[in-house]
Amino acid sequence: NLAITKNQTQANVDKAKLDYKFYKLAQDKYTKGLQPQDLEKADATITLAEENLQRAEQDYNWSKQLHDKGFITKKEMDTDELSVKQRKIALRDAELTREILIKYTHPEETETVKANVEQGKMALERAERRARAEVVTAEANLLAQKSEFTTLKKKLEKLEEQLVACKIFAPTNGMVVHATTGGGHRSASRERMEVGTTVHYRQKLVRLSGQGAMIIEMSIQEASRPKLKKNMRATVTIDALPGQIFTGHLSHIGILPDSAQGWLNPDLKVYACEVELDGTNADIRPGMKAEVEIIIEQHEDAVYIPLQCVLLVKGKPTVFVKKRARYEKRSVETGLDNSVMIHILSGLNKEEKVMLAPPLAEASRKNGNGAKGSHTTKPGEKAKRTSKTKK
């Protein structure tokens, strides 16, 4: 477009220059050529008319003399007289033509050619200015197009980089799983990943389940968090693989409470932990539901009783032991519990019987490791011994 504009404007300027030149030539042609020529023709016509009139008058005078002497007829004399009149009219016509030429024709034509020259000059100036303006506009448009082209080119490069970045290459072999799949409460409120889904910065999109050991995600209550140490042994059972027991170790313990659980229930404080299974098993798939039991302590020989049998009396764990026909209160030393049974370190023998529903009036307001025994059960459960117990 810029090249076409330059070519067209140059053609317009050249045409305006040529017209201006022709107007000047026409002015010179008229003022230096046609005007003097017309005046000379008029003068020559008047001179010729004067000579013709003079000759006609001489002929008429001579005819009068001859007529007076009777040599010619009156008709012949009248013819010469008529010729004199015609020559006078021709002279008057030539003089009038010259007068019109000088007073009207020449000034009119002079002003016309002069005006044409002025108009041609102004047309040339307009053409040159218009040409400059159109070229500047075309150049500005070209700069704007170049700027837009540069912007679009950068945008294209960025989009191409983003398109390349859309391809995620796994660092190792394994199974790719959507981050929203099999996440339990962590992904329950998230939208499933599909084509066209809007994502946000640092959002987890996929997980790569490698061909090595599997990791089980689990939540631990705040009260049990201090009991955990890294690399503690654990046993795992999977609902989809009944009858099989897997072993592993505690590989990660959450430092802060799980914010997702805090959003659902502000009073609930749980910590995200991970258990890494020993070895590999092709039957285990990401997203399977599993039950994990972390071994905090392990005893070859332990005494344990139902948790409901223990009350906190004056700040001490207390049980009610059967002595003949009545039950007497006895302080005991307790260990860990698993919410069902509690480990008795000292204070009970294996054959002694304890009350399953101790009197709640003896309990203090605050519970320790024991509970207030709200269950309705029969008294008389024996303290038991076992070769192995777990929590």
Side-chain angles (χ1 to χ4, degrees):
N1 287 338
L2 177 60
I4 293 173
T5 301
K6 287 183 176 180
N7 184 275
Q8 182 62 48
T9 53
Q10 186 62 43
N12 295 338
V13 171
D14 292 343
K15 183 178 183 303
K17 287 181 178 180
L18 188 61
D19 292 340
Y20 178 55
K21 184 178 180 180
F22 286 163
Y23 289 142
K24 292 179 68 177
L25 290 175
Q27 184 183 30
D28 293 340
K29 177 182 178 181
Y30 182 75
T31 56
K32 297 178 181 180
L34 295 179
Q35 185 177 2
Q37 184 182 19
D38 292 341
L39 191 58
E40 288 178 0
K41 284 182 180 181
D43 291 340
T45 302
I46 291 175
T47 300
L48 183 59
E50 290 177 343
E51 291 179 355
N52 289 334
L53 177 59
Q54 185 178 4
R55 188 181 298 111
E57 287 179 342
Q58 290 178 355
D59 290 342
Y60 175 64
N61 291 332
W62 181 251
S63 295
K64 284 178 65 177
Q65 294 177 6
L66 292 177
H67 178 267
D68 292 343
K69 294 179 178 182
F71 289 107
I72 60 174
T73 63
K74 186 177 184 303
K75 183 177 180 181
E76 291 177 336
M77 184 184 67
D78 293 338
T79 301
D80 291 336
E81 183 181 7
L82 180 61
S83 178
V84 170
K85 293 180 179 179
Q86 290 176 343
R87 300 305 178 188
K88 286 182 178 180
I89 294 172
L91 177 59
R92 179 58 184 164
D93 186 61
E95 291 174 345
L96 185 60
T97 299
R98 185 177 184 279
E99 184 179 359
I100 293 173
L101 193 64
I102 294 174
K103 286 185 178 182
Y104 303 106
T105 305
H106 283 177
E108 181 181 355
E109 292 294 332
T110 300
E111 293 298 326
T112 299
V113 294
K114 183 180 178 181
N116 288 340
V117 172
E118 294 295 331
Q119 291 294 329
K121 183 179 180 180
M122 290 188 290
L124 176 59
E125 292 178 354
R126 288 195 301 271
E128 290 175 342
R129 293 178 181 178
R130 186 179 295 110
R132 289 193 295 269
E134 290 180 357
V135 170
V136 169
T137 301
E139 289 176 345
N141 290 336
L142 177 59
L143 291 177
Q145 292 296 329
K146 285 183 177 179
S147 177
E148 183 179 1
F149 171 75
T150 302
T151 302
L152 293 176
K153 186 177 180 181
K154 291 181 179 179
K155 184 178 180 181
L156 175 61
E157 292 174 353
K158 184 177 180 180
L159 291 175
E160 289 176 343
E161 291 176 359
Q162 292 179 351
L163 187 61
V164 173
C166 286
K167 295 181 180 179
I168 303 175
F169 296 92
T172 182
N173 296 332
M175 181 185 299
V176 177
V177 182
H178 286 288
T180 56
T181 301
H185 62 274
R186 299 174 185 269
S187 61
S189 60
R190 296 183 183 177
E191 182 180 359
R192 179 176 176 81
M193 187 60 57
E194 295 178 349
V195 176
T197 303
T198 301
V199 297
H200 57 77
Y201 179 63
R202 299 188 67 84
Q203 176 181 341
K204 291 184 180 179
L205 303 181
V206 296
R207 297 196 306 269
L208 179 64
S209 300
Q211 294 179 339
M214 299 292 289
I215 293 177
I216 298 178
E217 296 178 347
M218 57 182 296
S219 297
I220 297 295
Q221 293 184 0
E222 188 175 36
S224 300
R225 170 67 175 79
K227 305 174 185 178
L228 301 181
K229 293 181 180 179
K230 206 169 181 180
N231 295 323
M232 280 185 169
R233 300 303 299 171
T235 59
V236 179
T237 57
I238 299 176
D239 293 353
L241 303 174
Q244 299 186 48
I245 299 177
F246 304 92
T247 60
H249 64 277
L250 186 61
S251 59
H252 172 75
I253 303 174
I255 300 176
L256 298 175
D258 190 351
S259 58
Q261 289 293 333
W263 181 80
L264 294 173
N265 185 0
D267 296 329
L268 180 62
K269 302 294 183 181
V270 295
Y271 291 79
C273 299
E274 293 180 357
V275 171
E276 183 176 344
L277 295 180
D278 297 333
T280 59
N281 191 308
D283 295 331
I284 302 178
R285 293 288 185 270
M288 286 184 172
K289 184 179 179 182
E291 183 175 346
V292 180
E293 188 177 75
I294 299 176
I295 302 174
I296 297 177
E297 292 182 4
Q298 187 169 359
H299 302 275
E300 293 295 332
D301 190 9
V303 176
Y304 61 93
I305 61 175
L307 183 61
Q308 66 199 48
C309 298
V310 182
L311 295 180
L312 191 62
V313 179
K314 295 182 180 181
K316 295 182 179 181
T318 303
V319 297
F320 288 83
V321 183
K322 186 175 182 181
K323 289 294 184 178
R324 295 187 180 90
R326 64 186 184 85
Y327 289 87
E328 67 177 18
K329 184 168 55 176
R330 183 187 300 177
S331 296
V332 295
E333 183 183 358
T334 60
L336 297 177
D337 68 82
N338 63 358
S339 300
V340 178
M341 295 292 178
I342 186 169
H343 184 195
I344 304 297
L345 301 178
S346 63
L348 280 180
N349 296 323
K350 65 177 182 179
E351 297 299 333
E352 291 181 312
K353 295 181 180 181
V354 296
M355 185 182 295
L356 278 175
L360 298 180
E362 296 288 341
S364 64
R365 292 185 178 181
K366 295 183 179 179
N367 284 338
N369 287 334
K372 285 190 177 181
S374 58
H375 300 10
T376 303
T377 55
K378 296 181 179 180
E381 171 95 2
K382 284 186 178 181
K384 298 179 181 179
R385 298 183 69 85
T386 179
S387 58
K388 283 186 180 180
T389 58
K390 302 177 186 177
K391 182 181 182 302

